[in-house]
Every structure is written in C-alpha cells, then in structure tokens.
Amino acid sequence: MKEKKRSLWYYLKRDKFIYLLMLPGLLWYIIFCYLPMFGIVIAFEDYKPFFGIEGIFTAEWVGFKHFIKFFRSAYCFRLIKNTLLLSVYSLIWSFPLSIMLALFINELRGRRFKKVVQTVSYLPHFLSAVIICGIIRTLTSVDGGLINGIILALGGESIHFLGQPEWFRTIYTVSEVWQSIGWESIVFIAAMTGIDKELYEAAMVDGAGVFRRMWSITLPGIMPVITIMLILRVGSILNLGYEKVLLLYSPQIYSTADIISTYVYREGVLNQNYSFAAAVNLFTSVISMIMVLATNKITKKLGQGGIW
C-alpha cells in the first residue's frame, strides 16, 4: 500500500520536542556564525570603525587591496610558515597518539580503573589557556622552574625556554598534545562501542593477541571516524587558535611564534585595521575550505569515504 504523503507541518508537530532541543544550537550558529558572515564585505573596503555598522554600506570599495598588501608584506611567509609548522607538528603527534590512547583504554578490563584513566587523560582539555600557560611558565622558569631545576641538578645551565625562538615550537606542541589527546580519544572510544563483539570473540578463539585484535578489528572498525576527524583537522590547519600563543610569545621569539591569528589580533584589535585583518582572516578561511575539499576527495579516492 502506498504511503500517504505528509506535510512539513505534520513532521514539525510530531517531532516538536526534538526540534526544541535543537533550537538553542541552531540559534547559536545563526547568530554567531552565519549573521556575522555579512561582515566579510569589509575585507574589500576601507572600513573605518568609528562609522559603526553604517560604515559597512558607505565605506570606499577597494577590491583586493588588503589581500595584495598582506601577500607583499614581509611577514606573510613567516606567518604562514609558523602557522603551518605548529599545526602540522600538533597534528602529527596528537592525532596518532589520541588513536593509540583510545585503543589502549578500550582494552582495559577494570571498569573503575578505565574511568579513572579516561578522566585523567581528558581533564587538561577543560583547563583554560590562561591556566595552561601559567603551568608552562612555572615549569620552564629560570627562577625555580622544575625543568631548569632538573637541568641544574644534572650539571647543566638554566635555559630561558620562552625567550629562545628554537624552543617555542617544542613547548607549544608538547602542551597541545598533553591538552588534546584525551579529549580527542573520546570520539574514537565511542566509535569502538559500535564494533561487533563477536569479532573479538572469534579472534580470541583463533589465538589472536591484543595487538593483533587492535590492528585487524578495532582500527578497520573505526577507520571511517578516523577519516572524518582527519579531514576536519586538516581543514583547520591554518585556523590555529591564538590564545595560547598570545599568552606565551614575546617580540624576541616572533620568528617562530608569531602566527596568522596573533597577527590578525594585533592588526584588527590593537591597530584597528579591521579591513586588513578581515582580509587576512578571509584568506585563511578560503584556504581551509580548499584543504577540506581536497582532503575529502583524496580520502574518497582511497576508498575510505568522506564527510559527504
């Protein structure tokens, strides 16, 4: 029997409580993500902040002037290089380690111990950037810092870690890995719950050990989730958050610590060059979109599926 076609109002009325639960999230995206996109237009204008919102409609149209200014800037290559290196280092270390952590947590048999390990591993994610940077500064301080204390005890000399450009990327990457792998592993652990338990039982009957089960059952079972997470991580590779970098860097280490987002902060907030800052930020967003599309296409060609 042919199913009767229902109107949109019927489904809205039937699932009204589900849509009400979705409403706060939808409003948040509309108000803070979609409506502000109208402001992208100032990247192509000479917008003056004291004109307010009306200035967006009356500002002089300059086209790609601010983009060209950024590409010709002496800081352009350095900013892109630093942003890419920090993002790639964090991706190379944190992404595989979060998968490995999820694999090992999944193999734990004691429920209480398993919960303790999970809590301890993802707790750093909830610490604010201010606290994380305070911990880093305390540990690396030349005046009573733990790390320098160990170096002195071994007969070495104190190192001003946050004052030397060559140390910044290492410090940032280590702190980023410590702060993120536990939280990222939650997604993979959740994906593992969907794997058929009979596969593990059959593998154990055949004599497969823990690592063989991980390699032959668990990893293939969560590969679609790994692919999606990797695409999202690659897409945000230029949109590196500025909070931690801003709290850790100083002018003497700009050569390795200054990134696109901190540059946008200085130009947009401190120097009030809103149009120029918007142009730089729009450039990173376009590159991120291209990288998401490219990564998605590559993963689909490799047979791993994609986001769409």
Side-chain angles (χ1 to χ4, degrees), residues 39-53:
I40 290 174
V41 72
I42 69 173
F44 304 93
E45 299 177 339
D46 262 337
Y47 173 73
K48 305 300 180 184
F50 50 83
F51 286 144
I53 297 178

Side-chain angles (χ1 to χ4, degrees), residues 83-94 173 233 237:
T83 305
L84 282 174
L85 286 177
L86 288 178
S87 295
V88 170
Y89 289 160
S90 299
L91 177 63
I92 289 173
W93 286 100
S94 68
T173 304
R233 285 292 300 271
I237 208 165

Side-chain angles (χ1 to χ4, degrees), residues 31 99 132 238:
I31 295 171
I99 297 172
I132 295 294
L238 281 180

Side-chain angles (χ1 to χ4, degrees), residues 185-210:
S185 68
I186 293 176
V187 178
F188 302 120
I189 293 171
M192 291 173 192
T193 60
I195 300 175
D196 190 353
K197 301 301 180 184
E198 292 183 359
L199 295 174
Y200 292 104
E201 294 172 0
M204 292 175 70
V205 171
D206 291 338
V210 173

Side-chain angles (χ1 to χ4, degrees), residues 115-174:
K115 289 183 178 179
V116 171
V117 172
Q118 282 185 277
T119 303
V120 171
S121 63
Y122 66 66
L123 190 61
H125 175 79
F126 296 98
L127 299 178
S128 70
V130 176
I131 295 174
I132 295 294
C133 294
I135 294 172
I136 293 171
R137 288 189 175 277
T138 301
L139 291 175
T140 59
S141 173
V142 294
D143 185 19
L146 177 62
I147 297 176
N148 274 310
I150 295 173
I151 293 173
L152 290 173
L154 295 174
E157 296 182 358
S158 295
I159 301 173
H160 188 198
F161 290 100
L162 294 178
Q164 299 183 17
E166 62 270 20
W167 282 103
F168 182 81
R169 289 172 185 154
T170 302
I171 292 171
Y172 180 89
T173 304
V174 171

Side-chain angles (χ1 to χ4, degrees), residues 18-19 21-34:
I18 297 176
Y19 291 118
L21 288 172
M22 293 172 56
L23 187 60
L26 289 173
L27 288 175
W28 187 89
Y29 274 102
I30 291 171
I31 295 171
F32 295 103
C33 296
Y34 287 98

